[in-house]
Amino acid sequence: MKTFEFDNYYDILQLPPNAGKEDIRHAYQQTSALYDAESPATYALFSERQRKTLLNAIEKAFETLIDDDQRAAYDRMLLDTGALDARDFSDSSPNEENQRKDNGGPTREESLVQWTAKQAETQGMRKRIEAILSESRLSGSQLKELRNAYGIELSEIYAATRISQNVMTAIEEDRFANLPATVYLKQFLKNIAQILQIDPSHVVRGYLESMGVSQSGG
């Protein structure tokens, strides 16, 4: 059971290190709601004491990352301790994305679904998708293989869906203990399926079935 004890503030809010302030606010609202006392997704999983500890960690993460000075000092600490690499802060940064927008026309992230729809019409991609649809279970490695076949980076998935790269990695590596609550996971899987041009209901059903088999030891 995840308690945030060893997570950095970006992991707690499920954000990339180059996230903008609007993304931080949005992630804070979503994460706080997830562990709220009235949340049906986590009500039975945590005691009131555990819930307060989690909410305090979320609050501290938000207060630090939303403040420019505190965030700068925190980022330097992460770099100095080796918890994160400088490339984590520069890869596909919001400033670079805004620059692409200023040059005119939509970015690839903004039209990613339309772009993959065209790619999915090719014979090679159709065969890959049909192979996945032919199986009842679906693993994260199959999603990763399909994403790589399109040539899509995790940063592009984040830009289009706001699914953090940490969550995407956990999905693709079948690290079930690191995944969000099922109600949120289902929506994430649907968003991923839409980008990859594969039936969302099959992706959700197949992935959850693989989770159940793995957790039951089958």
Side-chain angles (χ1 to χ4, degrees), residues 173-207:
E173 295 180 358
D174 295 323
R175 290 194 274 112
F176 302 135
N178 295 81
L179 294 176
T182 303
V183 63
Y184 297 100
L185 176 61
K186 287 182 178 179
Q187 186 58 52
F188 291 162
L189 290 171
K190 288 179 182 178
N191 292 342
I192 295 167
Q194 289 171 351
I195 289 178
L196 299 181
Q197 300 298 319
I198 189 168
D199 178 29
S201 62
H202 179 87
V203 171
V204 172
R205 183 174 58 252
Y207 193 84

CSV table of all heavy atoms in Angstrom, one decimal, residues 173-207:
chain,number,residue,atom,x,y,z
A,173,GLU,N,4.8,-1.2,-17.1
A,173,GLU,CA,5.7,-2.3,-16.5
A,173,GLU,C,4.9,-3.2,-15.5
A,173,GLU,O,5.4,-4.0,-14.8
A,173,GLU,CB,6.8,-1.6,-15.7
A,173,GLU,CG,7.8,-0.8,-16.6
A,173,GLU,CD,8.9,-0.2,-15.9
A,173,GLU,OE1,8.9,-0.2,-14.6
A,173,GLU,OE2,9.8,0.4,-16.5
A,174,ASP,N,3.5,-3.0,-15.6
A,174,ASP,CA,2.6,-3.9,-14.7
A,174,ASP,C,3.0,-3.8,-13.3
A,174,ASP,O,2.9,-4.8,-12.6
A,174,ASP,CB,2.6,-5.3,-15.2
A,174,ASP,CG,2.1,-5.5,-16.6
A,174,ASP,OD1,1.1,-4.7,-16.9
A,174,ASP,OD2,2.6,-6.3,-17.4
A,175,ARG,N,3.4,-2.6,-12.8
A,175,ARG,CA,3.7,-2.4,-11.4
A,175,ARG,C,2.4,-2.0,-10.7
A,175,ARG,O,2.1,-0.9,-10.4
A,175,ARG,CB,4.8,-1.4,-11.2
A,175,ARG,CG,6.2,-1.9,-11.7
A,175,ARG,CD,7.3,-1.0,-11.2
A,175,ARG,NE,7.6,0.1,-12.1
A,175,ARG,CZ,7.4,1.4,-11.8
A,175,ARG,NH1,6.9,1.7,-10.6
A,175,ARG,NH2,7.6,2.3,-12.7
A,176,PHE,N,1.6,-3.0,-10.4
A,176,PHE,CA,0.2,-2.8,-10.0
A,176,PHE,C,0.1,-2.1,-8.6
A,176,PHE,O,-0.8,-1.3,-8.4
A,176,PHE,CB,-0.5,-4.1,-9.9
A,176,PHE,CG,-0.6,-4.9,-11.2
A,176,PHE,CD1,-0.3,-6.3,-11.2
A,176,PHE,CD2,-0.9,-4.2,-12.4
A,176,PHE,CE1,-0.3,-6.9,-12.4
A,176,PHE,CE2,-0.9,-4.9,-13.6
A,176,PHE,CZ,-0.6,-6.3,-13.6
A,177,ALA,N,1.1,-2.3,-7.8
A,177,ALA,CA,1.1,-1.7,-6.5
A,177,ALA,C,1.3,-0.1,-6.6
A,177,ALA,O,1.0,0.6,-5.6
A,177,ALA,CB,2.2,-2.2,-5.6
A,178,ASN,N,1.8,0.3,-7.7
A,178,ASN,CA,2.1,1.7,-7.9
A,178,ASN,C,1.0,2.5,-8.7
A,178,ASN,O,1.1,3.6,-8.9
A,178,ASN,CB,3.4,2.0,-8.6
A,178,ASN,CG,4.6,1.5,-7.8
A,178,ASN,OD1,4.9,0.3,-7.8
A,178,ASN,ND2,5.3,2.4,-7.1
A,179,LEU,N,0.0,1.7,-9.0
A,179,LEU,CA,-1.1,2.3,-9.8
A,179,LEU,C,-2.1,3.0,-9.0
A,179,LEU,O,-2.3,2.7,-7.8
A,179,LEU,CB,-1.8,1.2,-10.6
A,179,LEU,CG,-1.0,0.5,-11.7
A,179,LEU,CD1,-1.8,-0.6,-12.3
A,179,LEU,CD2,-0.5,1.5,-12.8
A,180,PRO,N,-2.8,4.0,-9.5
A,180,PRO,CA,-3.9,4.7,-8.8
A,180,PRO,C,-5.1,3.8,-8.6
A,180,PRO,O,-5.1,2.7,-9.1
A,180,PRO,CB,-4.2,5.9,-9.7
A,180,PRO,CG,-3.9,5.4,-11.1
A,180,PRO,CD,-2.7,4.5,-10.9
A,181,ALA,N,-6.1,4.3,-7.8
A,181,ALA,CA,-7.3,3.6,-7.6
A,181,ALA,C,-7.9,3.2,-8.9
A,181,ALA,O,-7.8,3.9,-9.9
A,181,ALA,CB,-8.3,4.4,-6.8
A,182,THR,N,-8.7,2.1,-8.9
A,182,THR,CA,-9.2,1.5,-10.1
A,182,THR,C,-10.1,2.5,-10.9
A,182,THR,O,-10.1,2.5,-12.1
A,182,THR,CB,-10.1,0.2,-9.8
A,182,THR,OG1,-9.2,-0.7,-9.1
A,182,THR,CG2,-10.6,-0.4,-11.0
A,183,VAL,N,-10.9,3.3,-10.1
A,183,VAL,CA,-11.8,4.2,-10.8
A,183,VAL,C,-11.0,5.2,-11.7
A,183,VAL,O,-11.4,5.6,-12.8
A,183,VAL,CB,-12.6,5.0,-9.8
A,183,VAL,CG1,-11.8,5.8,-8.8
A,183,VAL,CG2,-13.7,5.9,-10.5
A,184,TYR,N,-9.8,5.6,-11.2
A,184,TYR,CA,-8.9,6.5,-12.0
A,184,TYR,C,-8.2,5.7,-13.1
A,184,TYR,O,-8.0,6.2,-14.2
A,184,TYR,CB,-8.0,7.3,-11.1
A,184,TYR,CG,-8.7,8.1,-10.1
A,184,TYR,CD1,-8.9,7.7,-8.8
A,184,TYR,CD2,-9.2,9.4,-10.5
A,184,TYR,CE1,-9.6,8.5,-7.9
A,184,TYR,CE2,-9.9,10.2,-9.6
A,184,TYR,CZ,-10.1,9.8,-8.3
A,184,TYR,OH,-10.7,10.5,-7.4
A,185,LEU,N,-7.7,4.5,-12.7
A,185,LEU,CA,-7.0,3.7,-13.7
A,185,LEU,C,-7.8,3.4,-14.9
A,185,LEU,O,-7.3,3.5,-16.0
A,185,LEU,CB,-6.6,2.4,-13.0
A,185,LEU,CG,-5.8,1.4,-13.9
A,185,LEU,CD1,-4.5,2.0,-14.5
A,185,LEU,CD2,-5.6,0.1,-13.2
A,186,LYS,N,-9.1,3.1,-14.7
A,186,LYS,CA,-10.0,2.9,-15.9
A,186,LYS,C,-10.0,4.1,-16.8
A,186,LYS,O,-9.9,3.9,-18.1
A,186,LYS,CB,-11.4,2.6,-15.4
A,186,LYS,CG,-11.5,1.2,-14.8
A,186,LYS,CD,-13.0,1.0,-14.4
A,186,LYS,CE,-13.2,-0.4,-13.8
A,186,LYS,NZ,-14.6,-0.6,-13.4
A,187,GLN,N,-10.1,5.3,-16.3
A,187,GLN,CA,-10.1,6.5,-17.1
A,187,GLN,C,-8.8,6.7,-17.8
A,187,GLN,O,-8.8,7.0,-19.0
A,187,GLN,CB,-10.5,7.7,-16.3
A,187,GLN,CG,-10.7,8.9,-17.1
A,187,GLN,CD,-11.8,8.8,-18.2
A,187,GLN,OE1,-12.9,8.4,-17.9
A,187,GLN,NE2,-11.5,9.1,-19.4
A,188,PHE,N,-7.7,6.4,-17.1
A,188,PHE,CA,-6.4,6.5,-17.7
A,188,PHE,C,-6.2,5.6,-18.9
A,188,PHE,O,-5.7,5.9,-20.0
A,188,PHE,CB,-5.3,6.3,-16.7
A,188,PHE,CG,-5.2,7.4,-15.7
A,188,PHE,CD1,-4.5,7.1,-14.5
A,188,PHE,CD2,-5.7,8.6,-15.9
A,188,PHE,CE1,-4.4,8.1,-13.5
A,188,PHE,CE2,-5.6,9.6,-14.9
A,188,PHE,CZ,-4.9,9.4,-13.7
A,189,LEU,N,-6.7,4.3,-18.7
A,189,LEU,CA,-6.6,3.3,-19.7
A,189,LEU,C,-7.4,3.7,-21.0
A,189,LEU,O,-7.0,3.5,-22.1
A,189,LEU,CB,-7.0,2.0,-19.2
A,189,LEU,CG,-6.0,1.3,-18.2
A,189,LEU,CD1,-6.7,0.1,-17.6
A,189,LEU,CD2,-4.7,0.9,-18.8
A,190,LYS,N,-8.6,4.3,-20.7
A,190,LYS,CA,-9.4,4.7,-21.8
A,190,LYS,C,-8.7,5.8,-22.6
A,190,LYS,O,-8.8,5.8,-23.9
A,190,LYS,CB,-10.8,5.2,-21.3
A,190,LYS,CG,-11.7,4.1,-20.8
A,190,LYS,CD,-13.0,4.7,-20.2
A,190,LYS,CE,-13.9,3.7,-19.7
A,190,LYS,NZ,-15.2,4.2,-19.1
A,191,ASN,N,-8.1,6.7,-21.9
A,191,ASN,CA,-7.4,7.8,-22.6
A,191,ASN,C,-6.2,7.3,-23.4
A,191,ASN,O,-6.0,7.8,-24.6
A,191,ASN,CB,-6.9,8.8,-21.6
A,191,ASN,CG,-8.0,9.6,-20.9
A,191,ASN,OD1,-9.1,9.7,-21.4
A,191,ASN,ND2,-7.7,10.2,-19.8
A,192,ILE,N,-5.5,6.4,-22.9
A,192,ILE,CA,-4.4,5.8,-23.6
A,192,ILE,C,-4.9,5.0,-24.8
A,192,ILE,O,-4.3,5.1,-25.9
A,192,ILE,CB,-3.6,4.8,-22.6
A,192,ILE,CG1,-2.9,5.6,-21.5
A,192,ILE,CG2,-2.5,4.0,-23.4
A,192,ILE,CD1,-2.4,4.7,-20.4
A,193,ALA,N,-6.0,4.3,-24.6
A,193,ALA,CA,-6.5,3.5,-25.8
A,193,ALA,C,-7.0,4.4,-26.9
A,193,ALA,O,-6.8,4.1,-28.1
A,193,ALA,CB,-7.7,2.7,-25.3
A,194,GLN,N,-7.5,5.5,-26.6
A,194,GLN,CA,-8.0,6.5,-27.6
A,194,GLN,C,-6.8,7.0,-28.4
A,194,GLN,O,-6.9,7.1,-29.6
A,194,GLN,CB,-8.7,7.6,-27.0
A,194,GLN,CG,-10.1,7.2,-26.5
A,194,GLN,CD,-10.8,8.3,-25.6
A,194,GLN,OE1,-10.1,9.3,-25.3
A,194,GLN,NE2,-12.0,8.1,-25.3
A,195,ILE,N,-5.7,7.3,-27.8
A,195,ILE,CA,-4.5,7.7,-28.5
A,195,ILE,C,-3.9,6.6,-29.3
A,195,ILE,O,-3.5,6.8,-30.5
A,195,ILE,CB,-3.4,8.2,-27.5
A,195,ILE,CG1,-3.9,9.6,-26.9
A,195,ILE,CG2,-2.1,8.4,-28.1
A,195,ILE,CD1,-2.9,10.1,-25.9
A,196,LEU,N,-3.9,5.4,-28.8
A,196,LEU,CA,-3.3,4.2,-29.5
A,196,LEU,C,-4.3,3.6,-30.5
A,196,LEU,O,-3.9,2.7,-31.2
A,196,LEU,CB,-2.9,3.2,-28.5
A,196,LEU,CG,-1.8,3.6,-27.5
A,196,LEU,CD1,-1.4,2.4,-26.6
A,196,LEU,CD2,-0.6,4.2,-28.2
A,197,GLN,N,-5.5,4.2,-30.6
A,197,GLN,CA,-6.4,3.7,-31.6
A,197,GLN,C,-6.8,2.3,-31.5
A,197,GLN,O,-6.9,1.5,-32.4
A,197,GLN,CB,-5.9,4.0,-33.1
A,197,GLN,CG,-5.6,5.4,-33.4
A,197,GLN,CD,-6.8,6.3,-33.3
A,197,GLN,OE1,-7.9,5.9,-33.8
A,197,GLN,NE2,-6.7,7.5,-32.8
A,198,ILE,N,-7.1,1.9,-30.2
A,198,ILE,CA,-7.5,0.6,-29.9
A,198,ILE,C,-8.8,0.6,-29.0
A,198,ILE,O,-8.9,1.6,-28.2
A,198,ILE,CB,-6.4,-0.2,-29.3
A,198,ILE,CG1,-6.8,-1.7,-29.1
A,198,ILE,CG2,-6.0,0.4,-27.9
A,198,ILE,CD1,-5.6,-2.6,-28.8
A,199,ASP,N,-9.7,-0.3,-29.1
A,199,ASP,CA,-10.9,-0.3,-28.4
A,199,ASP,C,-10.7,-0.1,-26.9
A,199,ASP,O,-10.1,-0.9,-26.2
A,199,ASP,CB,-11.7,-1.6,-28.7
A,199,ASP,CG,-13.0,-1.7,-27.9
A,199,ASP,OD1,-13.6,-0.6,-27.7
A,199,ASP,OD2,-13.4,-2.8,-27.5
A,200,PRO,N,-11.2,1.1,-26.4
A,200,PRO,CA,-11.0,1.4,-24.9
A,200,PRO,C,-11.6,0.3,-24.0
A,200,PRO,O,-11.0,0.0,-23.0
A,200,PRO,CB,-11.7,2.7,-24.8
A,200,PRO,CG,-11.7,3.3,-26.1
A,200,PRO,CD,-11.9,2.2,-27.1
A,201,SER,N,-12.8,-0.2,-24.3
A,201,SER,CA,-13.4,-1.2,-23.5
A,201,SER,C,-12.5,-2.5,-23.4
A,201,SER,O,-12.4,-3.1,-22.3
A,201,SER,CB,-14.8,-1.6,-23.9
A,201,SER,OG,-14.8,-2.1,-25.3
A,202,HIS,N,-11.9,-2.9,-24.5
A,202,HIS,CA,-11.1,-4.0,-24.5
A,202,HIS,C,-9.8,-3.8,-23.7
A,202,HIS,O,-9.4,-4.7,-23.0
A,202,HIS,CB,-10.7,-4.4,-26.0
A,202,HIS,CG,-9.7,-5.6,-26.1
A,202,HIS,ND1,-10.2,-6.9,-26.2
A,202,HIS,CD2,-8.4,-5.7,-26.1
A,202,HIS,CE1,-9.2,-7.7,-26.2
A,202,HIS,NE2,-8.1,-7.0,-26.2
A,203,VAL,N,-9.2,-2.6,-23.8
A,203,VAL,CA,-8.0,-2.3,-23.0
A,203,VAL,C,-8.3,-2.3,-21.6
A,203,VAL,O,-7.6,-2.9,-20.8
A,203,VAL,CB,-7.5,-0.9,-23.5
A,203,VAL,CG1,-6.4,-0.4,-22.5
A,203,VAL,CG2,-7.0,-0.9,-24.9
A,204,VAL,N,-9.4,-1.7,-21.1
A,204,VAL,CA,-9.8,-1.7,-19.7
A,204,VAL,C,-10.0,-3.1,-19.2
A,204,VAL,O,-9.5,-3.5,-18.2
A,204,VAL,CB,-11.0,-0.8,-19.5
A,204,VAL,CG1,-11.5,-0.9,-18.0
A,204,VAL,CG2,-10.7,0.7,-19.8
A,205,ARG,N,-10.9,-3.8,-19.9
A,205,ARG,CA,-11.2,-5.2,-19.5
A,205,ARG,C,-10.0,-6.1,-19.5
A,205,ARG,O,-9.8,-6.8,-18.5
A,205,ARG,CB,-12.3,-5.7,-20.4
A,205,ARG,CG,-12.8,-7.1,-20.0
A,205,ARG,CD,-14.0,-7.5,-20.9
A,205,ARG,NE,-13.6,-7.5,-22.3
A,205,ARG,CZ,-14.1,-6.6,-23.2
A,205,ARG,NH1,-14.8,-5.7,-22.8
A,205,ARG,NH2,-13.7,-6.7,-24.5
A,206,GLY,N,-9.2,-6.0,-20.5
A,206,GLY,CA,-8.0,-6.9,-20.6
A,206,GLY,C,-7.0,-6.6,-19.6
A,206,GLY,O,-6.4,-7.5,-19.0
A,207,TYR,N,-6.7,-5.3,-19.3
A,207,TYR,CA,-5.7,-4.9,-18.4
A,207,TYR,C,-6.1,-5.3,-17.0
A,207,TYR,O,-5.3,-5.9,-16.2
A,207,TYR,CB,-5.4,-3.5,-18.5
A,207,TYR,CG,-4.1,-3.1,-17.7
A,207,TYR,CD1,-2.9,-3.2,-18.3
A,207,TYR,CD2,-4.2,-2.6,-16.4
A,207,TYR,CE1,-1.7,-2.9,-17.7
A,207,TYR,CE2,-3.0,-2.3,-15.7
A,207,TYR,CZ,-1.8,-2.4,-16.4
A,207,TYR,OH,-0.6,-2.1,-15.7
